[in-house]
Amino acid sequence: TKEKYQGNEFAGVVTGLAWTAVGGEILFVETSLSKGKGALTLTGNLGDVMKESAMLAHEYLKSHAEQLDLAPEVFADWNVHVHVPEGAIPKDGPSAGVTMVTSIASAFTHRKVKKNLAMTGEITLRGKVLPVGGIKEKILAAKRAGITEIILSAENQKNLEEIKEEYIKGLQFHFVNTVMDVLDIALLNTKVKKPAKSV
Amino acid sequence: TKEKYQGNEFAGVVTGLAWTAVGGEILFVETSLSKGKGALTLTGNLGDVMKESAMLAHEYLKSHAEQLDLAPEVFADWNVHVHVPEGAIPKDGPSAGVTMVTSIASAFTHRKVKKNLAMTGEITLRGKVLPVGGIKEKILAAKRAGITEIILSAENQKNLEEIKEEYIKGLQFHFVNTVMDVLDIALLNTKVKKPAKSV
Amino acid sequence: TKEKYQGNEFAGVVTGLAWTAVGGEILFVETSLSKGKGALTLTGNLGDVMKESAMLAHEYLKSHAEQLDLAPEVFADWNVHVHVPEGAIPKDGPSAGVTMVTSIASAFTHRKVKKNLAMTGEITLRGKVLPVGGIKEKILAAKRAGITEIILSAENQKNLEEIKEEYIKGLQFHFVNTVMDVLDIALLNTKVKKPAKSV
Amino acid sequence: TKEKYQGNEFAGVVTGLAWTAVGGEILFVETSLSKGKGALTLTGNLGDVMKESAMLAHEYLKSHAEQLDLAPEVFADWNVHVHVPEGAIPKDGPSAGVTMVTSIASAFTHRKVKKNLAMTGEITLRGKVLPVGGIKEKILAAKRAGITEIILSAENQKNLEEIKEEYIKGLQFHFVNTVMDVLDIALLNTKVKKPAKSV
Amino acid sequence: TKEKYQGNEFAGVVTGLAWTAVGGEILFVETSLSKGKGALTLTGNLGDVMKESAMLAHEYLKSHAEQLDLAPEVFADWNVHVHVPEGAIPKDGPSAGVTMVTSIASAFTHRKVKKNLAMTGEITLRGKVLPVGGIKEKILAAKRAGITEIILSAENQKNLEEIKEEYIKGLQFHFVNTVMDVLDIALLNTKVKKPAKSV
Amino acid sequence: TKEKYQGNEFAGVVTGLAWTAVGGEILFVETSLSKGKGALTLTGNLGDVMKESAMLAHEYLKSHAEQLDLAPEVFADWNVHVHVPEGAIPKDGPSAGVTMVTSIASAFTHRKVKKNLAMTGEITLRGKVLPVGGIKEKILAAKRAGITEIILSAENQKNLEEIKEEYIKGLQFHFVNTVMDVLDIALLNTKVKKPAKSV
Ligand SMILES: [Ca+2]
Ligand SMILES: [Ca+2]
Ligand SMILES: [Ca+2]
Ligand SMILES: [Ca+2]
Ligand SMILES: [Ca+2]
Ligand SMILES: [Ca+2]
Ligand SMILES: [Ca+2]
Ligand SMILES: [Ca+2]
Ligand SMILES: [Ca+2]
Ligand SMILES: [Ca+2]
Ligand SMILES: [Ca+2]
Ligand SMILES: [Ca+2]
């Protein structure tokens, strides 16, 4: 079913953009933390490449704890569970990388995710944001869902030229090169009221 | 075989609604706890998506122990076994999510499950209840089995309009948005006599 | 080959009834215990559903140690090995559930299994005994093998009506609802001379 | 290639009889022990059923340590490696059970295996020896290889009737019911000079 | 998409040369370290042979810590994550061996990787560099990407003869025999500002 | 590519003989040790049977530490990594057994491998050396590569009769029955300068 944007009350819930056989769609990445030994659990009918995106996101944050004002040992002390509803739909590909890294970062920092924001882009281990496909379809889906700001890889800027002006009107784009660019834009300094952490 | 509703004497036994090639059916989700290190065991010929539902249910409860008046360490100290009879029938899909989270919650809290109640709905990690398919067939199966109250996702309310009034007569519906809504309705404050816990 | 009933000298050896492409057969479930950390090992060319039956049996007994006068920690201190001869024949399905739970219970309690008794039925985690198929063929096989008492699910009682009186003559049936019913009938209070336990 | 009997200087080396597409063959089961935590390693291109035979043999001996004058903790302190040359040939089936249990028992007890002896038969967890197929072909192969004594399941005695007297002449048969019968015949009281144990 | 060389600011990022159905390409191998027990994690949609290259690289460096002025225990105390963007493209083959060993070595030593350098070659456990295929296509891709120096196995020198002089003009080649040759050329003595290590 | 013999400077590097669809070839088995808990890692695109050869080699040496003047605990304290270049070529079969056991023994003892020596033969757990196929093709490949001494199973001696005298001229053959025979011939008493061990 065609989803609507769902607000930003929850830490660890971030809106992504997917591209399927039937067009673009928004999807949500959810992260929950629980006391443990640093394990990473992935659910939501995810393919291997999408699972690797979550591993990259987790590892990237582990090596950049300081920049996020996190104690480094936090990653060894909490288990991370990343879920992408809806379970009946198989999902794969690297383009949820930015959404996953933002979701996990929000869960650990308790920082709110910017409102009405969606994003798509592959991430690498050193923190680059790579371009992805299906930009046009994803933008249409974002607009339909009530999104007003979109984060894309700088290398995807060229893809906007192929899209009619009217489709883009009212949307603000952020073109980024690095994961830190993404987190700077996406994570607010206000903290959520309902942290995604269990003791 | 077409099952009948089986009472609520046991903690951890919750009635779900399934949708198969030959129509709707009720099914039972059973949970048993045993002293351990927090492992989750799943039986009943379950497919990967249905197994993920149990993982989500377990993780959700772990991060919401406080709201259920449970000591947080309880999830690290008890192994959880979730079973869905009947073993000869392969089962899959996300729609048993609400049934699983209620079953595990009942096992941990010892709270009785409301009588003559059945439910269907996908759950997410942050506790949303998503709509599922086969609503008409499931309602017919519930009625046939002696069910009088049904929990559905609020987003499934629209599916009732397609069903003839006479089929729904005598059934009370609860339309929910969150897992907490489900647990508030399904779990009574009275405790069961036979807890699903072994020492 | 067509087996004969083999006596009840050994704890942990229980006679089941199977239904194959070439008719009914009796089979034996054997359990042996060895000091360990509570692991469950399954052999005999068993399919996934049959393996799940053994997991259910093990878990059920773990949560009902008290009713069997067993110290609860016994399940954490002993490894359980369940075997179903004959290794060349693949076996599957849930109908050996009652046989497996009786076999493991006999091994732990050292109680003798009733003589000339066979059984068939699926078990659930909460201890229900569910009906299974092939009742007619299984009864014929039991009689041929020298069995005189048979335990069936109460829901299988109706299947006896389709069987000619003469086939059933001389057989005593026990129709049960729960695993505890099965154990009450099958396990004698006398202890075996050769316990199935190694130190 | 057609093997010859290879003497009994080594503990843990026992001669079995196999039945392949091209007729009967003798095979050797080798066991080696090394200090560890009781792990069982299986090599020789073995199928699942043959691997289960080794698991049954190991478990059986564990529960019958006393009868073999072995300290029970010996099985927890030594790793067992069972190998069946030749690696290029896939092997499967339950009929090497008696050979495997004799091989492991010889390795642990350091007792010599009787000279010019071969055997075939499935074993069960409680120590029964079940009949197996291909008896005629196996006997011919044993004779060709210089074997003079053969252990078979008592239930295989009938298979000898179909074999011409001249083929059997000069061979001594032992028909057994239990694993203990096998070990009594196969293991001498003299100890080998080269134990199959590493410290 | 056709990548460009991306500088040498990051430790643990090394440029390799790949050969695909559609011609040569440059690829990047990224390594990140995090406190742990010496585990090796591999992402980037890698096939088994490419994963083995990373295992060889890790093991080689472990046994040559001294030559790189590394404390030997460093490999037991840090987890290594090696990633090859882009996740959507399956990658395999042994030719990234030199790139992987340079990437991991740079991450551990914090030494900068030489600028505008690319490399291709299989490595072995004792540190030999073996020749690989697709040299012509790889060189063309390197030039297109702005690479000016290339490391190849000495056994690949003969492959340059088949390439037109003009394609090679402006490129400096290093023909090597061992992994140590590669590291001597590729790793500068200056340290990076952003180490690939998390505490 | 057709390899040349590569000297004996490195401990743990041993020359084997392989037989492929396109004729005989020499191959190298490399072993590297690193401090650990006795794990065995295998790389080089090896099939299951070839992996089993390495397991047999490792286990054999473990049980014969004394004969090689090795402290028995050395096998529990060092991880063993065995690699067979070249990664792009799948390899399988039991005939590298002698090469593997020599390679691991050389790595542990630091003893040099005899110069210009190659070998082929399956090993068993008790230390027998079994005959293998492709002898003619392997000998031609050895000669082409500059090998002057070859170790074969005594049971392969007959295969030399089918080979023209001129092909064998200049080659010295060692026909062996046991792994100890192989190690006696292949391992010199001089120690290598570069041990294959990391601390
Ligand atoms: Ca939906
Ligand atoms: Ca959707
Ligand atoms: Ca049924
Ligand atoms: Ca049913
Ligand atoms: Ca049989
Ligand atoms: Ca039978
Ligand atoms: Ca052979
Ligand atoms: Ca043979
Ligand atoms: Ca791309
Ligand atoms: Ca590319
Ligand atoms: Ca090559
Ligand atoms: Ca080659």
Side-chain angles (χ1 to χ4, degrees), chain D residues 1 3 25 86:
Chain D
T1 62
E3 319 287 346
E25 266 213 85
E86 328 171 16

Side-chain angles (χ1 to χ4, degrees), chain E residues 40-83:
Chain E
L40 179 61
T41 302
L42 305 168
T43 51
N45 210 338
L46 312 183
D48 286 347
V49 173
M50 200 159 183
K51 283 181 180 166
E52 288 192 349
S53 290
M55 292 166 72
L56 288 168
H58 192 216
E59 187 70 24
Y60 176 85
L61 293 171
K62 222 184 269 187
S63 12
H64 294 77
E66 213 178 339
Q67 283 98 315
L68 293 163
D69 286 324
L70 289 169
E73 62 272 15
V74 84
F75 291 96
D77 292 349
W78 293 88
N79 290 338
V80 178
H81 186 145
V82 176
H83 178 62

